[in-house]
């Protein structure tokens, strides 16, 4: 397979940010014929930095289709899992997110970098040291924060009590032992204390159903009590769609409020799906990372060490929200107003 020179250069730059060096073992993890070009380019990039590189490939079959979080083709494959645990860096192009297997690989000391976006998105949202600084600042704030309050002109008014769960940063590369990241991204997130999330979230036109690659067209009012969505109301089709989707999993844990954070990647585009949703390859990282979003979500919390492993996950990036943490303002009407998190030139 011929390796594209531009891809090799970009992946080498990415692995340099990950501090891949002489003597390290880099394993690319793929399923079926997916991402074969990325796997080749990452292996050559790793070799050029002095690392040993190889590919672990497993079949993708109907029992473990892509798209359902935490269910993937590595389940039950102990030999492959043992190999991955011995790596210094695993480049996950299979979709380990939210799985016990990912936690096990990280516990073994391997850092894990998820890469599942089209090449033009990897280029467009390529991480920077400054993005890392701002995302880590958000993480530090969330780690000491106690009371997160989100409001909007559309009627959102929801409070999270924090401290029970860890905070995860995602800035697009990883150089710390055992640390996971997602190339590309740009936000930090945590989870409200069990039973603590209370209030209303109103999804407004322009907010995003990441699972549907669709912009909300008509307001959807979510009532939240004790950490669960207890009502999904709205006159338009969007409320019907959301109710139908969650009901389809037949799992009451799908109504739980999940991770929460805000987007800080000024290179990510809110309008991404509007121009690309006809392409099957397009993924969600622009939507999850765009500068000044509130990334509200529902469903599982195993990624943060919780026990809810429902496969029903909805990421719902919202525009135009205001956020305060312990009274300190972070976002105002969708603008990053905290000076430490404002992007250069914004
Ligand atoms: Fe999510």
């Amino acid at each position: 397979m011929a390796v594209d020179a531009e891809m090799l250069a970009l992946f080498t730059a990415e692995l340099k940010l990950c501090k891949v060096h002489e003597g390290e073992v880099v394993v690319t993890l793929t399923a079926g014929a997916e991402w074969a070009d990325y796997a080749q380019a990452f292996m050559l990039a790793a070799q050029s930095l002095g690392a040993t590189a190889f590919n672990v490939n497993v079949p993708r079959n109907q029992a473990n289709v892509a798209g359902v979080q935490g269910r993937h083709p590595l389940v039950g494959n102990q030999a492959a899992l043992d190999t991955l645990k011995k790596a210094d860096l695993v480049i996950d192009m299979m979709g380990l997110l939210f799985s016990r297997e990912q936690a096990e690989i990280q516990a073994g000391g391997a850092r894990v970098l998820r890469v599942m976006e089209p090449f033009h998105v990897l280029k467009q949202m390529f991480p920077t040291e400054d993005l890392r600084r701002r995302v880590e600042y958000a993480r530090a704030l969330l780690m000491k924060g106690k009371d997160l309050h989100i409001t909007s002109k559309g009627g959102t008014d929801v409070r999270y009590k924090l401290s029970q769960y860890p905070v995860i940063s995602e800035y697009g590369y990883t150089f710390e032992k055992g640390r996971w990241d997602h190339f590309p991204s740009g936000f930090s997130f945590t989870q409200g204390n069990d039973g603590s999330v209370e209030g209303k979230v109103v999804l407004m036109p322009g907010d995003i159903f990441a699972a549907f690659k669709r912009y909300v067209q008509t307001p959807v009012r979510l009532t939240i009590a004790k950490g669960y969505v207890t009502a999904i109301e709205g006159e338009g089709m969007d409320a019907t769609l959301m109710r139908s989707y969650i009901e389809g999993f037949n799992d009451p844990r799908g109504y739980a409020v999940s991770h929460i954070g805000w987007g800080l990647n000024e290179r990510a585009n809110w309008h991404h799906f509007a121009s690309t949703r006809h392409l099957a390859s397009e993924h969600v990282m622009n939507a999850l990372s765009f500068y000044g979003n509130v990334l509200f979500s529902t469903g599982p919390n195993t990624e943060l060490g919780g026990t809810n492993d429902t496969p029903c996950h909805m990421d719902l990036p919202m525009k135009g929200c205001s956020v305060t943490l312990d009274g300190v303002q972070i976002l105002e009407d969708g603008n990053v107003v905290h000076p430490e998190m404002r992007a250069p030139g914004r």
Side-chain angles (χ1 to χ4, degrees):
M1 177 187 291
V3 171
D4 182 86
E6 189 185 16
M7 186 180 286
L8 181 59
L10 194 85
F11 288 3
T12 304
E14 172 69 12
L15 293 187
K16 280 182 182 168
L17 286 171
C18 294
K19 299 190 178 165
V20 169
H21 59 81
E22 185 105 36
E24 282 205 314
V25 174
V26 174
V27 181
T28 56
L29 173 63
T30 54
E34 298 161 17
W35 306 111
D37 53 343
Y38 281 18
Q40 290 299 320
F42 268 120
M43 285 191 284
L44 286 178
Q47 273 184 347
S48 77
L49 298 172
T52 299
F54 59 95
N55 182 220
V56 168
N57 179 263
V58 290
R60 167 101 60 202
N61 56 40
Q62 286 308 305
N64 49 47
V65 287
V68 179
Q69 302 283 11
R71 311 289 186 272
H72 58 71
L74 207 59
V75 173
N77 188 340
Q78 193 60 41
L81 189 57
D82 288 344
T83 301
L84 295 166
K85 282 157 73 173
K86 288 180 197 151
D88 294 296
L89 173 65
V90 173
I91 299 175
D92 171 25
M93 293 170 278
M94 195 190 68
L96 284 169
L97 194 59
F98 292 122
S99 68
R100 292 179 189 89
E101 290 74 16
Q102 179 181 301
E104 224 180 288
I105 292 165
Q106 288 176 255
R111 50 205 199 277
V112 179
L113 183 71
R114 176 185 169 104
V115 187
M116 299 185 78
E117 293 278 326
F119 188 67
H120 67 96
V121 174
L122 301 180
K123 272 201 307 188
Q124 171 220 330
M125 287 177 60
F126 196 78
T128 63
E129 176 60 30
D130 187 69
L131 178 65
R132 181 181 81 85
R133 178 189 65 76
R134 290 181 287 112
V135 169
E136 288 291 30
Y137 190 93
R139 176 166 176 264
L141 273 191
L142 283 167
M143 281 172 72
K144 60 179 197 244
K146 295 273 183 279
D147 180 26
L148 182 69
H149 187 201
I150 300 164
T151 57
S152 76
K153 287 179 176 155
T156 293
D157 189 347
V158 63
R159 285 179 187 275
Y160 293 67
K161 296 242 179 298
L162 306 180
S163 67
Q164 183 183 343
Y165 288 97
V167 184
I168 294 180
S169 56
E170 275 189 55
Y171 47 80
Y173 57 99
T174 182
F175 55 80
E176 294 165 42
K177 198 174 169 67
R179 183 179 175 276
W180 174 87
D181 209 310
H182 190 165
F183 170 37
S185 43
F187 51 89
S188 282
F189 63 95
T190 188
Q191 161 94 21
N193 297 352
D194 289 345
S196 82
V197 188
E198 297 278 348
K200 281 226 170 266
V201 166
V202 182
L203 302 174
M204 293 295 287
D207 294 345
I208 298 174
F209 288 120
F212 308 149
K213 299 184 182 178
R214 174 187 161 90
Y215 296 90
V216 173
Q217 314 279 321
T218 51
V220 181
R221 297 182 301 277
L222 308 178
T223 304
I224 296 167
K226 296 183 176 149
Y228 274 81
V229 175
T230 57
I232 302 171
E233 296 165 300
E235 286 66 46
M237 191 176 85
D238 296 278
T240 313
L241 260 180
M242 185 173 176
R243 273 198 305 267
S244 173
Y245 182 75
I246 299 182
E247 277 169 18
F249 285 83
N250 202 17
D251 181 352
R253 301 171 308 159
Y255 293 92
V257 175
S258 180
H259 58 80
I260 186 73
W262 55 86
L264 290 171
N265 191 332
E266 73 282 13
R267 297 179 176 188
N269 292 323
W270 163 75
H271 62 257
H272 180 73
F273 287 137
S275 57
T276 61
R277 64 188 297 276
H278 58 289
L279 302 169
S281 60
E282 295 305 312
H283 226 280
V284 296
M285 293 315 289
N286 272 278
L288 304 197
S289 312
F290 73 84
Y291 190 71
N293 80 19
V294 163
L295 179 48
F296 174 77
S297 72
T298 57
N301 63 5
T302 45
E303 195 182 8
L304 287 153
T307 55
N308 184 345
D309 67 349
T310 179
C312 178
H313 182 47
M314 293 193 86
D315 286 314
L316 301 157
M318 301 191 293
K319 263 175 94 64
C321 292
S322 297
V323 174
T324 62
L325 183 58
D326 297 335
V328 174
Q329 188 136 30
I330 293 161
L331 303 187
E332 184 178 7
D333 300 332
N335 297 307
V336 179
V337 294
H338 194 295
E340 292 297 332
M341 284 174 286
R342 209 178 280 154
R346 298 291 284 257

